[in-house]
Amino acid sequence: MEDVELYLQYDAQGNITVSVVYPQGNVNTLYVPHDVPPIERDDRINAFKAEQQAL
C-alpha cells in the first residue's frame, strides 16, 4: 500500500475539496461541505485517504 499525498483546498465558505493526484495524471476528489462537524469531517478525509491508498 503506497502512501498518497492529499491536497486540501478551502473556499471562502469553508467548504473543503480534497484531491489526490496520481503520477499517471489521474485525479480523485472528495468534497466536504462546511457544515460537516469536525470529527465527521476528519473521518471522511481519513476514509478517503485509506480508500485511495488501497487503489
Side-chain angles (χ1 to χ4, degrees), residues 5 7 9 27 29 32-33 39-42 45-46 49 55:
E5 189 169 342
Y7 298 92
Q9 179 178 358
V27 178
T29 60
V32 183
I39 293 173
E40 183 180 342
R41 177 198 63 213
D42 293 349
I45 293 171
N46 289 334
K49 182 176 182 180
L55 296 179

Side-chain angles (χ1 to χ4, degrees):
M1 178 164 42
E2 187 175 326
D3 197 29
V4 296
E5 189 169 342
L6 301 179
Y7 298 92
L8 281 68
Q9 179 178 358
Y10 298 84
D11 67 16
Q13 290 76 34
N15 301 309
I16 304 171
T17 302
V18 183
S19 302
V20 175
V21 180
Y22 291 97
Q24 308 87 346
N26 300 347
V27 178
N28 288 343
T29 60
L30 169 71
Y31 177 76
V32 183
H34 72 278
D35 57 352
V36 173
I39 293 173
E40 183 180 342
R41 177 198 63 213
D42 293 349
D43 288 347
R44 287 186 188 188
I45 293 171
N46 289 334
F48 177 73
K49 182 176 182 180
E51 178 183 288
Q52 298 306 305
Q53 286 176 323
L55 296 179

